[in-house]
Amino acid sequence: DTEVTQTPKHLVMGMTNKKSLKCEQHMGHRAMYWYKQKAKKPPELMFVYSYEKLSINESVPSRFSPECPNSSLLNLHLHALQPEDSALYLCASSQDPSGTGVEETQYFGPGTRLLVL
Amino acid sequence: GQNIDQPTEMTATEGAIVQINCTYQTSGFNGLFWYQQHAGEAPTFLSYNVLDGLEEKGRFSSFLSRSKGYSYLLLKELQMKDSASYLCAVRAESGGYQKVTFGTGTKLQVIP
């Protein structure tokens, strides 16, 4: 089973709204990731959690706030977003954050398509 | 930093073979992944190379030359459903962590 689930599938929000994206995996993976992908562009790394601790923040604006409540769950809290934040937000997980072999393959969820009005 | 180059678009005929190239420049290299991404969907893992040589997986094969900073993905017996973007992704050590960076992707169109 290599399933990563994400909710919601689609989200429309105004610039003053607060919303959260959720991601879940039950593969026992210890690294979880948030990526942002604009149309016709590759995924861009936002955050990495390793053993439930934030290990990488790619200089993401504070209006994006990640949270890892436990090893299976990853949230992305959104507040005061801008229209340019509209994108596909992908969650991924991998087995071993410090590994350098194939076990470090990242498995992606289906994504949340976000539209900020 | 990292620099990953792939052709933007390719077209191939159903039943044929196509090779998608990827060149990269990075320090602390620790592996290269190929992902397939259909429009509007998440990337799905295809292959992984860390040592020089060819890895074969059914209709898909991936090759790596670390000394040349070069990889290719070979798709045989092309099917219409292979129309997708193919992303080359390089893992390298960065600031004490292993980080994966994606290339811009190659959009493959398979025609009858």
Side-chain angles (χ1 to χ4, degrees):
Chain A
D1 180 14
T2 55
E3 189 179 28
V4 177
T5 59
Q6 288 186 246
T7 55
K9 284 185 120 174
H10 301 275
L11 179 63
V12 180
M13 61 186 289
M15 289 189 282
T16 58
N17 291 159
K18 282 186 183 180
K19 296 285 184 183
S20 296
L21 309 185
K22 297 185 184 300
C23 173
E24 192 166 0
Q25 57 88 13
H26 293 287
M27 296 178 277
H29 287 178
R30 303 316 301 268
M32 296 186 77
Y33 311 78
W34 279 116
Y35 287 86
K36 173 183 176 180
Q37 187 175 25
K38 303 280 270 186
K40 300 184 181 180
K41 298 286 188 183
E44 293 179 17
L45 183 65
M46 299 174 72
F47 302 104
V48 180
Y49 272 83
S50 174
Y51 294 96
E52 298 151 56
K53 291 188 176 160
L54 184 65
S55 57
I56 296 179
N57 177 342
E58 290 288 280
S59 302
V60 179
S62 60
R63 57 186 184 267
F64 295 91
S65 175
E67 178 197 19
C68 190
N70 60 54
S71 60
S72 300
L73 293 173
L74 184 67
N75 298 323
L76 186 64
H77 302 299
L78 314 173
H79 174 54
L81 293 194
Q82 304 296 311
E84 60 263 28
D85 296 322
S86 298
L88 180 67
Y89 287 85
L90 293 163
C91 173
S93 71
S94 64
Q95 183 178 328
D96 181 359
S98 58
T100 56
V102 70
E103 68 277 3
E104 255 305 277
T105 298
Q106 294 181 24
Y107 294 95
F108 286 83
T112 294
R113 191 161 296 282
L114 174 67
L115 178 62
V116 182
L117 300 176
Chain B
Q2 296 189 27
N3 192 26
I4 304 172
D5 288 314
Q6 303 180 237
T8 305
E9 294 181 349
M10 297 182 72
T11 302
T13 305
E14 190 177 14
I17 298 173
V18 70
Q19 178 174 312
I20 302 174
N21 295 325
C22 171
T23 57
Y24 63 89
Q25 295 169 314
T26 189
S27 56
F29 176 85
N30 268 319
L32 187 144
F33 301 86
W34 283 96
Y35 283 85
Q36 179 191 61
Q37 187 174 26
H38 285 98
E41 298 182 11
T44 54
F45 169 71
L46 289 178
S47 70
Y48 167 77
N49 296 73
V50 68
L51 300 176
D52 287 356
L54 189 67
E55 294 284 339
E56 296 188 77
K57 218 186 221 186
R59 294 190 299 115
F60 295 76
S61 302
S62 57
F63 171 84
L64 176 68
S65 168
R66 292 178 66 138
S67 61
K68 294 181 180 176
Y70 168 68
S71 173
Y72 68 72
L73 179 70
L74 195 70
L75 292 77
K76 302 176 188 173
E77 301 168 18
L78 279 173
Q79 303 175 9
M80 299 300 291
K81 67 178 182 180
D82 297 328
S83 294
S85 286
Y86 291 85
L87 300 163
C88 169
V90 172
R91 181 173 64 207
E93 191 275 335
S94 174
Y97 294 97
Q98 298 296 324
K99 186 179 159 185
V100 173
T101 302
F102 286 82
T104 52
T106 298
K107 186 176 180 181
L108 174 66
Q109 183 181 14
V110 180
I111 57 176

